[in-house]
């Protein structure tokens, strides 16, 4: 079995340079690769194209890279709770491609599976379909969407082992599984890195063949984007 464990986030991000394209898992602030993002900020790489459902918040997640003007283009499904994202988009400082959320997920999955493109009905007849090939199947129109091409995919899982097998927890699963194996190099950070043979094979969500590097993350904040509590009775 190939040992994919690396000592730390610095080793995990070896080969990262400016002007690359990255996939980053997460939905809102749930399941984001906190350690990898923090290291990207430290490295100071810029001119980045980032594929992610959204861009965190102003002072956390991908919002940190936006603050430092390290991102050239965002490919996302919505702006979310990030005022800086909105400001840079409206001012023209940031190139933004907004696409339907399901299409975002399937373009990741197509890259993972080795499909060059997919047909989807989402966006037909709207600005999303402008300039794209369309085709009719069984009386319904579809839009051709190409698989993403990325240099690195950074994902976060609950548990993993040295072979790269991953288990996600709850809603932190979100886009992470679809991004595994969808880039040239997939880097997984986990809350708990266990020895080989500990994970129940029936509970593994992503087999290690989709992961090239794995490391034990640390100091996870796990912020809540919008905290809602029940009124005291």
């Amino acid at each position: 079995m190939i040992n994919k464990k690396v000592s730390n986030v610095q080793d995990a991000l070896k080969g990262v340079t400016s002007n690359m394209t990255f996939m980053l898992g997460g939905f809102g602030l749930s399941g984001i690769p906190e350690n990898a993002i923090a290291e990207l900020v430290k490295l100071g790489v810029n001119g980045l194209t980032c594929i992610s459902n959204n861009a965190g918040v102003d002072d956390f997640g991908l919002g940190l890279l936006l603050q430092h003007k390290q991102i050239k283009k965002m490919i996302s499904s919505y702006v979310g709770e990030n005022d800086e994202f909105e400001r840079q988009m409206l001012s023209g400082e940031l190139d933004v491609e907004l696409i339907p959320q399901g299409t975002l997920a399937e373009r990741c999955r197509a890259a993972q599976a080795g499909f060059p493109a997919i047909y989807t009905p989402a966006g037909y007849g709207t600005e999303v379909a402008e300039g794209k090939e369309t085709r009719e199947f069984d009386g319904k129109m579809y839009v051709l969407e190409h698989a993403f091409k990325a240099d690195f995919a950074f994902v976060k899982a609950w548990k993993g082992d040295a072979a790269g097998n991953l288990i996600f927890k709850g809603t932190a699963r979100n886009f992470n599984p679809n991004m595994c194996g969808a880039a040239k190099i997939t880097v997984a950070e986990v809350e708990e890195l266990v020895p080989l043979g500990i994970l129940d094979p029936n509970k593994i969500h992503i087999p290690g063949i989709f992961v090239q590097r794995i490391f034990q993350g640390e100091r996870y904040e796990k912020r809540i984007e919008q905290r809602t509590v029940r009124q005291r009775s």
Side-chain angles (χ1 to χ4, degrees):
M1 187 70 70
I2 299 175
N3 185 353
K4 301 175 181 180
K5 178 182 175 182
V6 293
S7 300
N8 49 48
V9 66
Q10 290 79 21
D11 288 342
L13 268 63
K14 282 184 177 178
V16 164
T17 62
S18 295
N19 303 308
M20 281 187 164
T21 297
F22 299 149
M23 290 181 171
L24 299 105
F27 186 106
L29 299 180
S30 176
I32 63 172
E34 295 181 30
N35 287 249
I37 292 171
E39 184 62 21
L40 288 171
V41 173
K42 290 180 183 178
L43 288 173
V45 290
N46 53 40
L48 305 175
T49 296
C50 292
I51 302 165
S52 187
N53 182 61
N54 57 296
V57 293
D58 288 333
D59 61 345
F60 196 58
L62 283 178
L64 296 172
L65 290 171
L66 284 171
Q67 277 188 353
H68 291 84
K69 307 293 180 67
Q70 292 173 260
I71 300 177
K72 174 183 67 177
K73 180 177 182 178
M74 277 297 309
I75 301 175
S76 304
S77 70
Y78 73 109
V79 174
E81 302 291 328
N82 195 319
D83 292 336
E84 180 62 16
F85 185 178
E86 180 183 18
R87 188 196 68 76
Q88 290 188 26
M89 180 178 71
L90 294 178
S91 68
E93 297 173 44
L94 181 68
D95 185 9
V96 177
E97 181 181 350
L98 292 175
I99 61 177
Q101 198 167 79
T103 302
L104 178 70
E106 290 305 307
R107 288 177 69 183
C108 291
R109 197 163 68 91
Q112 180 190 67
F115 299 150
I118 58 166
Y119 278 104
T120 174
Y124 177 75
T126 72
E127 291 182 10
V128 171
E130 288 183 3
K132 297 177 182 176
E133 178 185 331
T134 59
R135 186 172 174 181
E136 182 179 344
F137 293 93
D138 297 324
K140 188 173 183 178
M141 296 302 297
Y142 291 78
V143 181
L144 182 71
E145 296 281 4
H146 292 272
F148 288 126
K149 294 180 180 179
D151 298 291
F152 280 83
F154 299 110
V155 302
K156 191 258 182 176
W158 178 41
K159 290 184 180 181
D161 62 23
N165 298 307
L166 303 177
I167 296 176
F168 303 95
K169 187 175 184 181
T171 55
R173 192 170 175 176
N174 51 65
F175 282 84
N176 283 296
N178 284 20
M179 291 183 174
C180 291
K184 294 176 183 176
I185 296 175
T186 295
V187 176
E189 58 180 81
V190 296
E191 293 182 42
E192 186 178 352
L193 189 58
V194 302
L196 286 172
I198 296 297
L199 298 181
D200 181 348
N202 295 302
K203 294 182 179 178
I204 290 172
H205 295 128
I206 289 293
I209 194 158
F210 291 105
V211 176
Q212 282 70 51
R213 302 173 190 172
I214 186 168
F215 70 96
Q216 171 80 58
E218 55 185 19
R219 296 190 296 274
Y220 285 108
E221 291 189 41
K222 296 185 182 180
R223 291 193 196 178
I224 298 174
E225 198 166 354
Q226 293 286 352
R227 182 167 181 166
T228 304
V229 296
R230 185 174 58 188
Q231 287 187 345
R232 184 180 297 175
S233 58

